[in-house]
Amino acid sequence: MSLAEAGHPVAQWKLGKMYAEGDGVAQDDVRAFEYFSRIANAHAEDSPSAPQASIVANAFVALGRYYLSGIPNSKIKADTERAREMFSYAASYFGNADAQYDLARLYLKTPDASRDDFRYGARWLGLAAQKGQHQAQALLGQMLFNGDRLPPQRARGLMWLTLARDSATPDESWIRESYNRAVAKASEDDKTMALQMLEHWVQGRRD
């Protein structure tokens, strides 16, 4: 009996990822979904400080993302509410930063987002950014710099965008573009203040 069959979350996670990415096996989202579901079903109540907690939280995030888009030619249909439940659980119970970012986006990108939706979204975005989730830092930075439904804080926005740019992957050109646009518009004062805020942030992470 393999570790994955025995319900070992790390082994199930690795197999799920392999099927999701087609890494060494034929890509199969339905099988990936099944492995992630097994982890979520068996370990939802695990302590957030358990060694496998981050894997369990990641399984919830992966399931949430599948529910956002659905899996073509399968019984897994797009279901935003179910996605929200998955992200919500991983974000609040496990404090997972990716889940917090995905949840924030669900609240912020709802076409008819209410003020409450927006408040929830901004709060989750802030939590994920504080934890170092670079996509959250980029989105929050963009919103603060442009005063997009948040009171403009150009220096703080630039600080978040700078942090995000440093962690962005090569295919995340939207982050570099956001940063470049902000820098082009920022005043010298904005830049000086952003630099001071960055130094505080780095210092705070070290303490």
Side-chain angles (χ1 to χ4, degrees):
M1 189 157 150
S2 74
L3 282 172
E5 284 160 353
H8 202 286
V10 179
Q12 289 176 334
W13 170 254
K14 284 187 174 151
L15 278 166
K17 286 279 282 183
M18 282 169 69
Y19 280 113
E21 291 164 7
D23 174 13
V25 292
Q27 203 235 356
D28 187 335
D29 284 319
V30 174
R31 290 196 72 169
F33 183 91
E34 283 165 3
Y35 279 115
F36 297 144
S37 294
R38 285 186 206 172
I39 299 171
N41 293 335
H43 298 277
E45 307 292 315
D46 286 10
S47 157
S49 56
Q52 72 276 12
S54 67
I55 281 176
V56 181
N58 286 335
F60 274 97
V61 173
L63 289 170
R65 289 176 182 169
Y66 276 129
Y67 279 121
L68 270 187
S69 51
I71 299 175
N73 310 317
S74 81
K75 60 182 195 304
I76 297 127
K77 303 290 174 243
D79 183 340
T80 311
E81 266 321 295
R82 197 89 179 87
R84 190 192 302 265
E85 283 167 19
M86 295 287 163
F87 295 146
S88 212
Y89 191 74
S92 45
Y93 183 71
F94 288 107
N96 179 280
D98 287 335
Q100 291 171 344
Y101 169 65
D102 283 343
L103 189 58
R105 278 178 55 200
L106 267 186
Y107 279 116
L108 296 172
K109 295 204 183 312
T110 312
D112 50 353
S114 66
R115 288 189 63 157
D116 274 349
D117 285 343
F118 188 76
R119 250 207 346 268
Y120 287 133
R123 205 190 72 194
W124 285 118
L125 198 58
L127 286 170
Q130 289 291 347
K131 289 196 167 132
Q133 211 286 1
H134 68 276
Q135 295 150 320
Q137 292 173 337
L139 188 54
L140 184 61
Q142 217 173 11
M143 289 168 70
L144 286 170
F145 189 86
N146 298 327
D148 171 14
R149 295 177 292 174
L150 288 174
Q153 294 187 41
R154 290 167 76 98
R156 186 165 294 284
L158 190 55
M159 175 203 91
W160 285 124
L161 281 164
T162 307
L163 283 166
R165 182 208 56 180
D166 290 344
S167 307
T169 59
D171 57 350
E172 290 177 316
S173 54
W174 69 276
I175 293 180
R176 277 187 304 285
E177 284 159 14
S178 281
Y179 168 82
N180 291 340
R181 275 198 302 272
V183 164
K185 287 185 196 160
S187 68
E188 286 311 310
D189 281 353
D190 292 335
K191 290 176 189 168
T192 308
M193 269 184 74
L195 196 59
Q196 287 170 349
M197 288 174 174
L198 263 175
E199 283 168 0
H200 276 293
W201 162 269
V202 172
Q203 196 53 49
R205 302 292 270 188
R206 277 208 214 102
D207 293 344

